[in-house]
């Protein structure tokens, strides 16, 4: 990592030759793309009553906050490949972790690659494509080298000395299960803290040499489990005040089995005290991450870059903290499918809140349009530019998310995984359509269950209306719409071969 610094310095000095600078200076906007890992919408600006995120709230105040944004697949690898290619998982062929789209659609240009091809300096710090967290922290993970000119992979105490001190529901296992630790080490010794300071360093160099605009991608690891953050951040969340979800057994009565398929057996061992500790550590990790994001956002201001830099803040998917009896990801409920999405910068309305459904798949066409960068013709998302200009614009009107049960969708054959996730063989797909009012979900085209939730009256999705006679017409209408949309998630020229079919199957089906 450190050895890259002299390289960049040489590059910058070379480009700073006065004549070249004058000739090449341009006004194309920069992009600062910040993604957090496994972060749900528990942010102050999203109305969370407890979680403190002053830095991201400030960003929301100077941009547009999408109230109804969703990932396309609530699991790191499939979601990130989809977001960074602008294609649905059914077209990337990436439906599990530890794979990269170069295995299936190698000639496609990734988002940052499209920017590189037009002269942008594209750099990555931390997790953009999938990583095994925490074990691959400090490496390139399952990265795409073609996407970046520079990669920085710091390793902090959370990966080193703190990890062995963490509590875990499965002792010795940290990435795929609930685990946490209040660290004695300060922010700057943690991986996310180091990454924020590396980002500051890169921005300082970019500010000195404006001959090339930049696309800086920063992928924080928190609040992904293990929820390790400096103990000072835990102090803002007294354990006894944590909102442990009650009544979830009753809530499960009207659900198809696949809706609960992401449940993991080790979660049987959770007590309310452990639940409180998990929530406290998750919230502490969010506030810690927010502070690191703040360092980078403040650097943009300090360096005079904010005015000409488009900032994106999002997460790869949402996360359960006990709702419906579920923890972590891979469900199609709101908590797991929904992501925070905030955009700010030139061309973006200040302080806007958009109700229009949006997806991570929309970021590629949006950013390329905003920066005048040529995008591939086969992108499958919509441009959010009309919504960024007028947050009341309706956009496409829906967003779709999917998961896979069986066939190695991410839970794998790992000991303790639930049968629905762990069963290898028959693959069952679940698709969920979110409109401004409804969430409608079908399992195996409805043959293995349907769910309908009315967000006007039931934002927590506690009452499944799919079998109620008075909603039959809505179910029929949304089912037709959903099935029509699903058809468009496949490539226009046929079905993308899977990595398995290409002989590249490298199953690492846990999701650390
Ligand atoms: Ca993730």
């Amino acid at each position: 990592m450190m050895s890259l610094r002299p390289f960049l310095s040489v590059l910058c000095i070379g480009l700073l030759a006065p004549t070249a600078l004058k000739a090449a200076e341009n006004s194309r906007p920069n992009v600062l793309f910040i993604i957090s890992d496994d972060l749900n919408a528990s942010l102050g600006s999203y109305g969370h009553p407890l979680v403190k995120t002053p830095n991201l709230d400030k960003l929301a105040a100077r941009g547009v906050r999408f109230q109804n944004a969703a990932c396309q697949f609530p699991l790191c690898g499939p979601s990130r490949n989809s977001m960074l290619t602008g294609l649905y998982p059914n077209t990337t062929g990436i439906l599990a972790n530890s794979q990269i789209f170069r295995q299936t659609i190698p000639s496609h240009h990734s988002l940052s690659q499209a920017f590189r091809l037009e002269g942008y300096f594209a750099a990555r710090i931390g997790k953009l494509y999938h990583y095994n967290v925490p074990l691959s922290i400090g490496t390139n993970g399952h990265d795409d080298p073609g996407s970046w000119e520079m990669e920085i992979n710091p390793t902090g105490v959370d990966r080193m000395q703190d990890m062995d001190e963490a509590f875990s529901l499965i002792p010795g296992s940290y990435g795929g299960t609930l685990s946490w630790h209040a660290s004695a080490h300060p922010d700057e010794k943690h991986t996310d803290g180091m990454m924020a300071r590396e980002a500051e360093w890169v921005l300082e160099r970019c500010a000195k040499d404006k001959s090339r605009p930049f696309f800086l991608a920063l992928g924080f690891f928190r609040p992904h489990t293990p929820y390790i953050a400096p103990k000072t951040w835990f102090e803002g969340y007294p354990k006894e005040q944590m909102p442990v979800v009650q009544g979830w057994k009753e809530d499960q009565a009207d659900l198809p089995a696949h809706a609960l398929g992401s449940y993991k057996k080790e979660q049987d061992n959770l007590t309310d005290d452990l639940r409180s500790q998990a929530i406290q550590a998750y919230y502490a990790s969010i506030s810690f991450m927010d502070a690191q994001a703040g360092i980078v956002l403040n650097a943009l201001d300090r360096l005079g870059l904010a005015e000409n830099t488009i900032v994106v803040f999002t997460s790869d998917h949402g996360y359960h903290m006990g709702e419906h009896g579920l923890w972590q990801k891979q469900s199609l409920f709101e908590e797991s499918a929904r992501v925070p999405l905030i955009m700010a910068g030139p061309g973006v309305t200040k302080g806007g809140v958009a109700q229009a459904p949006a997806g991570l798949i929309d970021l590629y066409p949006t950013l390329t349009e905003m920066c005048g960068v040529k995008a591939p013709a086969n992108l499958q998302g919509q441009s959010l530019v009309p919504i960024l200009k007028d947050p009341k614009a309706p956009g496409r009107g829906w967003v779709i998310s999917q998961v896979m049960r069986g066939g190695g969708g991410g839970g794998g054959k790992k000991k303790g995984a639930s049968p629905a996730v762990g069963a290898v063989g028959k693959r069952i797909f679940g698709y969920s359509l979110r409109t401004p009012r409804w969430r409608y979900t079908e399992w195996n085209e409805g043959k293995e269950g349907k769910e309908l939730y009315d967000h006007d009256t039931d934002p927590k999705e506690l009452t499944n209306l799919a079998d109620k006679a008075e909603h039959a017409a809505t179910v029929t209408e949304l089912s037709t719409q959903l099935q029509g949309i699903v058809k468009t998630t496949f490539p226009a020229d046929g079905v993308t071969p899977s990595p398995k079919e290409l002989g590249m199957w490298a199953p690492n089906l846990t999701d650390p």
Side-chain angles (χ1 to χ4, degrees):
M1 176 270 296
M2 295 304 287
S3 63
L4 281 166
R5 286 191 166 185
F7 271 115
L8 187 70
S9 302
V10 168
L11 178 80
C12 289
I13 291 161
L15 290 170
L16 275 169
T19 48
L21 181 64
K22 260 282 182 266
E25 188 146 358
N26 72 78
S27 59
R28 285 183 295 175
N30 308 299
V31 177
L32 173 62
F33 191 106
I34 307 176
I35 183 165
S36 171
D37 199 0
D38 284 21
L39 172 69
N40 60 24
S42 297
L43 301 178
S45 51
Y46 276 82
H48 196 282
L50 294 175
V51 179
K52 289 172 269 298
T53 52
N55 297 285
L56 295 169
D57 300 348
K58 200 168 130 191
L59 179 68
R62 69 174 189 88
V64 169
R65 181 174 69 76
F66 289 83
Q67 180 72 12
N68 295 308
C71 69
Q72 275 49 76
F73 199 126
L75 178 67
C76 305
S79 175
R80 289 164 182 262
N81 273 282
S82 170
M83 174 181 75
L84 295 170
T85 58
L87 302 171
Y88 283 105
N90 288 337
T91 294
T92 64
I94 306 300
L95 303 174
N97 279 334
S98 310
Q99 297 162 356
I100 185 83
F101 70 93
R102 299 291 176 198
Q103 294 169 284
T104 48
I105 46 169
S107 64
H108 188 72
H109 292 158
S110 72
L111 170 59
S112 57
Q113 189 182 11
F115 279 78
R116 284 189 68 186
L117 289 169
E118 301 219 0
Y120 274 68
F121 167 64
R124 169 184 68 73
I125 305 176
K127 178 173 176 177
L128 264 292
Y129 294 95
H130 177 255
Y131 263 75
N132 286 336
V133 178
L135 294 180
S136 296
I137 289 176
T139 74
N140 280 324
H142 303 107
D143 192 30
D144 172 46
S147 291
W148 324 105
E149 250 165 272
M150 188 179 79
E151 302 90 10
I152 300 180
N153 305 309
T155 313
V157 289
D158 48 299
R159 167 68 184 87
M160 308 301 281
Q161 50 268 54
D162 276 349
M163 208 173 79
D164 294 337
E165 292 180 38
F167 166 86
S168 175
L169 272 186
I170 302 178
S173 171
Y174 303 107
T177 189
L178 300 180
S179 55
W180 56 84
H181 177 60
S183 169
H185 298 100
D187 291 14
E188 63 273 21
K189 299 285 185 198
H190 289 251
T191 306
D192 284 359
M194 294 167 79
M195 285 180 359
R197 288 153 182 87
E198 295 286 3
E200 229 184 337
W201 182 87
V202 173
L203 291 173
E204 282 164 6
R205 267 88 205 143
C206 290
K208 281 184 198 158
D209 174 9
K210 295 199 170 86
S211 62
R212 292 175 71 196
F214 63 82
F215 186 110
L216 177 60
L218 177 61
F220 289 123
F221 290 92
R222 294 285 96 86
H224 195 295
T225 175
Y227 317 132
I228 297 177
K231 62 182 176 194
T232 45
W233 295 106
F234 283 63
E235 287 159 12
Y237 303 103
K239 204 180 67 174
E240 57 283 1
Q241 290 175 21
M242 295 301 101
V244 174
V245 176
Q246 304 293 344
W248 50 270
K249 282 201 175 120
E250 298 75 10
D251 164 33
Q252 292 181 343
D254 60 1
L255 295 174
H258 290 303
L260 301 169
S262 57
Y263 185 79
K264 295 176 176 175
K265 189 87 180 86
E266 76 262 18
Q267 292 161 4
D268 286 350
N269 296 328
L270 282 169
T271 60
D272 274 359
D273 183 59
L274 286 173
R275 291 182 179 102
S276 299
Q277 289 184 42
I279 296 168
Q280 175 191 42
Y282 185 72
Y283 289 175
S285 297
I286 294 174
S287 285
F288 162 64
M289 182 276 300
D290 172 82
Q292 309 322 302
I295 287 172
V296 185
L297 296 170
N298 288 339
L300 271 193
D301 286 333
R302 173 168 62 79
L303 297 165
L305 292 168
E307 225 168 80
N308 198 36
T309 300
I310 296 161
V311 182
V312 179
F313 176 83
T314 191
S315 169
D316 56 353
H317 46 75
Y319 206 75
H320 282 288
M321 293 305 284
E323 305 84 9
H324 315 289
L326 297 176
W327 294 81
Q328 304 180 271
K329 47 214 170 187
Q330 294 204 72
S331 94
L332 289 175
F333 289 109
E334 186 83 348
E335 291 86 0
S336 162
R338 185 187 188 200
V339 291
L341 175 60
I342 300 167
M343 291 185 70
V348 182
T349 299
K350 284 190 171 56
V353 178
Q355 300 293 335
L360 295 180
I361 196 163
D362 301 329
L363 292 175
Y364 196 147
T366 303
L367 290 170
T368 47
E369 182 182 337
M370 293 173 89
C371 297
V373 164
K374 188 171 178 290
N378 64 334
L379 296 186
Q380 293 171 319
Q382 65 177 342
S383 168
L384 300 173
V385 168
I387 303 171
L388 294 171
K389 284 183 182 153
D390 173 12
K392 290 198 163 51
R396 180 182 47 211
W398 52 264
V399 63
I400 189 174
S401 308
Q402 71 181 92
V403 292
M404 186 168 73
R405 302 287 187 234
K413 290 170 78 176
K414 195 174 58 174
K415 195 177 157 198
S418 75
V421 176
V424 171
K426 191 181 166 202
R427 288 175 167 189
I428 298 297
F429 288 94
Y431 290 98
S432 192
L433 179 68
R434 182 73 159 84
T435 69
R437 178 171 178 186
W438 305 100
R439 174 175 297 286
Y440 175 69
T441 303
E442 286 190 353
W443 298 95
N444 195 13
E445 298 175 340
K447 294 192 277 286
E448 299 191 36
K450 298 176 182 182
E451 297 164 67
L452 176 68
Y453 304 103
D454 184 349
H455 273 263
D456 282 358
T457 56
D458 182 21
K460 292 186 172 176
E461 301 180 338
L462 296 175
T463 307
N464 179 7
L465 302 170
D467 290 330
K468 307 269 188 245
E470 64 269 34
H471 293 290
T474 304
V475 167
T476 302
E477 190 184 314
L478 291 171
S479 177
T480 303
Q481 188 183 2
L482 172 66
Q483 294 190 12
I485 292 166
V486 169
K487 287 196 182 85
T488 69
T489 64
F490 290 91
D493 57 352
V495 177
T496 306
S498 72
K500 189 177 184 179
E501 286 153 353
L502 292 169
M504 293 173 173
W505 188 247
N508 180 352
L509 302 175
T510 57
D511 180 41

